[in-house]
Amino acid sequence: TSGRFVLPPNEQHVVVLLQVSNFSHSKGGPVRSILLGTPGVIEQMILRTNQISFFVIGMIAFMALYQLTFFLFRTQERASLWFFLICLAMLLRVSLTDNHLYSIADTASMWSFLMRVEYSTVFTVIYLLLLFVHSITSRPMTWWFHLVFGLSSTIFFVLLWTTSITFFTSIYIYYYPFV
């Protein structure tokens, strides 16, 4: 199981078994290093990390609400809409990458769904960011620019939701040039 384990006191030897492979992701093994220390020190480290994470989530949520309010009063200005959607995608991404939402995944299908949502935030944020920049600049972007980034994001997004996690995580690296 994952999570925290407190070693029994006064034990001479302890065997730690760690699964370093899996069948659902192209990169197996643990996501983070094992933390060794006293329970109090480990709890303080986790608490500090969670506090920073929730601060970032709160700031992004505040920016999202601000941009949504701004857009509702000035619907002709699309930049606020794009920025609001960027903030929503980033909220999802931070919540997932910091394992706040993965903790509710009690089945393999729920874990798979959350992983797909996490990966899809990359594709949506990149294209939304381009739309945001396009809406605040006076120079129009060329049609091929939209075609390349829009089409590549759409292709990878469709592959993400229609193929297995193992397949998708093995071809995900090919999207890096677009990021």
Side-chain angles (χ1 to χ4, degrees):
T1 65
S2 62
R4 289 173 235 152
F5 177 73
V6 177
L7 299 176
N10 303 323
E11 284 292 323
Q12 293 289 330
H13 300 281
V14 176
V15 176
V16 177
L17 181 62
L18 177 67
Q19 180 181 349
V20 295
S21 179
N22 64 47
F23 300 102
S24 59
H25 196 288
S26 67
K27 296 179 182 177
V31 176
R32 293 183 176 89
S33 301
I34 296 175
L35 296 175
L36 299 175
T38 63
V41 170
I42 299 293
E43 288 295 325
Q44 285 298 321
M45 290 173 63
I46 291 170
L47 179 64
R48 179 169 162 70
T49 302
N50 284 342
Q51 287 173 337
I52 292 169
S53 175
F54 285 124
F55 176 76
V56 170
I57 288 171
M59 293 303 293
I60 294 172
F62 180 77
M63 287 189 302
L65 288 174
Y66 174 78
Q67 292 298 323
L68 177 63
T69 305
F70 196 77
F71 174 71
L72 291 176
F73 285 105
R74 297 185 178 182
T75 55
Q76 71 278 7
E77 295 183 23
R78 297 281 184 208
S80 294
L81 173 64
W82 302 135
F83 199 80
F84 165 71
L85 293 173
I86 290 168
C87 289
L88 282 184
M90 292 307 297
L91 273 173
L92 272 174
R93 181 143 187 89
V94 170
S95 298
L96 286 164
T97 56
D98 286 348
N99 291 325
H100 300 302
L101 293 180
Y102 278 117
S103 62
I104 64 169
D106 57 353
T107 64
S109 61
M110 183 64 164
W111 180 84
S112 175
F113 172 76
L114 289 175
M115 186 173 199
R116 289 173 196 276
V117 170
E118 177 188 340
Y119 274 78
S120 66
T121 59
V122 174
F123 309 124
T124 54
V125 165
I126 297 300
Y127 194 61
L128 287 170
L129 188 59
L130 291 172
L131 291 172
F132 172 72
V133 169
H134 175 68
S135 65
I136 62 172
T137 59
S138 58
R139 247 178 81 199
M141 293 186 180
T142 58
W143 64 270
W144 63 267
F145 196 76
H146 280 285
L147 181 69
V148 167
F149 282 97
L151 191 59
S152 63
S153 293
T154 303
I155 288 170
F156 280 96
F157 191 83
V158 168
L159 284 174
L160 168 66
W161 288 96
T162 59
T163 61
S164 70
I165 293 289
T166 307
F167 174 76
F168 181 77
T169 55
S170 66
I171 66 162
Y172 180 67
I173 194 166
Y174 298 112
Y175 188 74
Y176 286 167
F178 299 101
V179 179

